Amino acid sequence: MENAILVVNCGSSTLKLALFDSHSLRCTATGLAERLNHDDAVARIPELEGDFPLPAGATHREALEAMTKALTDSGLLSGPPAAIGHRVVHGGENFREAALIDDQVLEAIEHCAGLAPLHNPVNLSGINSTRSLFPGVPNVAVFDTAYHQTLPPKAYLYAVPYSYYRDWGVRRYGFHGISHSFMLTEAARRLGKTPATTSIISAHLGNGCSIAAIRDGLSADTSMGLTPLEGLVMGSRSGDIDPGLFDYLKSRGIAQDQLHHVLNHESGLLGLSGQTNDMRTLCDLAEHGHEPSRIAIEVFCFRLARYIGAMMASLHHLDALVFTGGIGENSSRVREQTLDNLKLLGFDLDQELNRYGGEYSGGHIESPESRFPVLVIPTNEELVIAREAVRLTSASN
Ligand code: AMP
C-alpha cells in the first residue's frame, strides 16, 4: 500500500498498529502485540494468518520492528509510510491540538511524563522507534488530553490551594479526548448537524471509562482528572474515592505505593466482584446468581448515572447521550440499568433497539417518549489519529 498512514498506539504492555490509505482513509490492516516486556510476548496481524511469537521480553521497539517487517513482507505496506500518527496520553497544558513532532515537541512530551509516568514514556519509545525505523517520515502526536483543553477553570480546578495549580500544574486534564471528539463528529453527522452546534454527553466505557459534556463542539467537563484514575468505576480502577481513605488505610498498614497499586489494578469491577474486570463475564456471572458481580454492575451503572446528571450542569441543551467503548457499544444491560436511574431527567430506552445496540436504527436506542436521543456509536480512535496525521502533513497529496 503506497501512501499509507501508520497509526501507533503504545500501551504499558501492548502495541496496537493500524494502516490507513491516505486518500480514502480506509483501514487496510491492523496489528496487536501483547504482553510486551514479558516472557510470553506475542503479536497478531489479523490480515495475516495466526499469531507470531516475539522474542521473550520483546520491547515495544522490537514488536514494532517485527510487525512492520511482517506488513512489508506481505505487501500490506510497500515502502515507508507517508506519515505516522501516535497516540500520546498526556499533553499537559502545552497541547490544545495534535502536533507535528520535532525535538521541541518531544521535549514537551517528556516534560509531561511526570503527570503520566505509566503512559508517556512508552508513547515516547514508540515515537523514537518509528523515527529511527523510518527516517525522514513525518510523525504526528495526537493527545488524549488535548480535546479537553477547552474546559473552563470551574471544571478543571480542584478546590485545593491555587498555588498547586499555578506552580505544579495540579488540575483536571481529562483523557479519552480522541474518542470523545470522534463521538462529537459522528453524533453530529447522524443528527444532521454541524459539530460546532452540537452538544452531547459522551460516555466512553471500556476497560478505562470516562464521560464528557460537549457543549457546542467543545469539551466543557469530563470525569477523569489529573490522572486517568478519577471519575467513573472502571475495570480495575476505583474512580472517585474519598482522599480520607489514604490516611485511614495507612493506619491499617497499607503503604502508599501499595494503595496506588490497589486503586489502579485491584479496584473497580475487579475489586467489587472479586472475580474479573471484564464486564461481559460479570454479566454472565450475575445472570447465574453471583451476587458480588450483580453489585459490581449496580455500582458501575449508578456512578455512571450520577455523572450523566452532573454533566447536565455544563450544557444549555442536549442533542444526544452517546455510548461507546467495549461496554458502551455492547452491553444493553449496562445501558438499560444506567438509564433506569435517570427517568426523572426524561431518558427512556426502546428495549428492542437497545438489545441490538442501535444497529438497525442509525445508532438510536431511545423510545419515542424519551426527552433526549440516545445513541450507540462505535469508537474509532485510530481513524482520528490517521486524519490528524494527514491534516498536519498533507500526506494525501
Ligand atoms: P475496551 O477497553 O473498549 O476494549 O472494552 C473492554 C470491555 O468491554 C470489557 O469489560 C469487556 O468485557 C466489555 N465488553 C465487550 N463486549 C461486551 C459485551 N458483549 N457485553 C458486555 N461487555 C462487553
Side-chain angles (χ1 to χ4, degrees):
M1 165 78 40
E2 273 169 28
N3 277 327
I5 305 294
L6 175 64
V7 171
V8 178
N9 182 354
C10 291
S12 49
S13 62
T14 59
L15 167 67
K16 285 191 206 157
L17 293 186
L19 272 184
F20 288 83
D21 176 279
S22 63
H23 296 288
S24 64
L25 284 179
R26 190 174 63 84
C27 182
T28 54
T30 56
L32 172 67
E34 292 179 287
R35 302 191 289 277
L36 295 175
N37 305 306
H38 292 79
D39 285 348
D40 52 352
V42 66
R44 178 154 214 279
I45 295 176
E47 288 73 13
L48 310 174
E49 295 281 289
D51 291 355
F52 55 95
L54 295 168
T59 60
H60 286 81
R61 187 196 160 90
E62 286 167 327
L64 193 65
E65 262 185 64
M67 290 165 87
T68 49
K69 182 172 183 311
L71 288 168
T72 307
D73 290 349
S74 66
L76 286 165
L77 177 65
S78 64
I84 303 166
H86 295 266
R87 177 185 194 181
V88 177
V89 167
H90 217 308
E93 288 189 328
N94 295 316
F95 298 101
R96 298 182 75 85
E97 58 171 0
L100 190 61
I101 296 174
D102 58 16
D103 289 345
Q104 236 179 333
V105 168
L106 270 184
E107 208 177 294
I109 297 173
E110 251 166 66
H111 183 72
C112 293
L115 289 166
L118 298 179
H119 296 103
N120 274 31
V122 283
N123 299 157
L124 277 168
S125 99
I127 295 170
N128 287 326
S129 304
T130 56
R131 282 181 118 200
S132 62
L133 272 175
F134 299 111
V137 174
N139 284 263
V140 167
V142 186
F143 300 92
D144 246 345
T145 48
Y147 183 59
H148 298 301
Q149 277 297 298
T150 51
L151 253 56
K154 67 179 178 188
Y156 72 65
L157 283 176
Y158 290 112
V160 296
Y162 188 77
S163 58
Y164 292 5
Y165 166 60
R166 191 188 55 221
D167 300 340
W168 300 330
V170 172
R171 55 160 283 177
R172 308 182 61 257
Y173 289 94
F175 298 86
H176 288 146
I178 299 170
S179 178
H180 290 306
S181 69
F182 184 70
M183 287 308 115
L184 169 73
T185 45
E186 264 303 296
R189 189 180 68 73
R190 290 172 193 226
L191 296 166
K193 299 191 68 167
T194 61
T197 59
T198 300
S199 295
I200 61 168
I201 293 175
S202 163
H204 178 109
L205 312 175
N207 227 334
C209 300
S210 77
I211 186 165
I214 298 177
R215 176 176 167 146
D216 294 333
L218 304 178
S219 178
D221 193 10
T222 191
S223 57
M224 283 178 168
L226 177 75
T227 73
L229 186 54
E230 190 179 339
L232 302 174
V233 176
M234 307 180 215
S236 63
R237 278 174 257 169
S238 62
D240 294 341
I241 48 149
D242 178 353
L245 203 68
F246 280 77
D247 267 350
Y248 180 67
L249 290 181
K250 206 157 90 191
S251 77
R252 292 274 160 176
I254 298 190
Q256 194 187 323
D257 54 348
Q258 198 183 344
L259 190 53
H260 174 88
H261 183 82
V262 169
L263 294 177
N264 277 286
H265 302 292
E266 295 177 2
S267 298
L269 295 171
L270 171 64
L272 283 167
S273 69
Q275 294 289 318
T276 175
N277 63 356
D278 188 279
M279 181 60 89
R280 191 172 4 193
T281 311
L282 281 179
C283 290
D284 287 345
L285 285 167
E287 265 157 42
H288 287 90
H290 187 255
E291 186 59 8
S293 297
R294 189 192 66 74
I295 288 180
I297 298 168
E298 195 169 23
V299 176
F300 181 95
C301 295
F302 182 62
R303 176 87 56 89
L304 174 59
R306 275 164 64 182
Y307 260 99
I308 291 171
M311 292 295 124
M312 292 285 201
S314 293
L315 302 176
H316 53 109
H317 77 276
L318 180 66
D319 291 308
L321 166 66
V322 182
F323 285 99
T324 193
I327 299 171
E329 291 165 31
N330 296 301
S331 179
S332 54
R333 175 179 180 145
V334 165
R335 294 188 299 256
E336 181 179 343
Q337 220 172 308
T338 302
L339 294 192
D340 272 351
N341 292 297
L342 293 171
K343 294 271 187 224
L344 192 58
L345 287 181
F347 288 102
D348 194 51
L349 291 185
D350 178 297
Q351 287 210 342
E352 200 62 8
L353 297 184
N354 184 39
R355 182 168 328 136
Y356 292 107
E359 204 177 330
Y360 308 107
S361 47
H364 285 269
I365 57 169
E366 76 279 6
S367 77
E369 286 76 42
S370 185
R371 191 173 157 209
F372 306 105
V374 182
L375 296 170
V376 177
I377 299 179
T379 194
N380 195 340
E381 291 164 292
E382 288 74 21
L383 177 61
V384 177
I385 297 171
R387 277 183 190 151
E388 290 293 78
V390 168
R391 184 176 70 83
L392 288 176
T393 62
S394 3
S396 62
N397 290 341

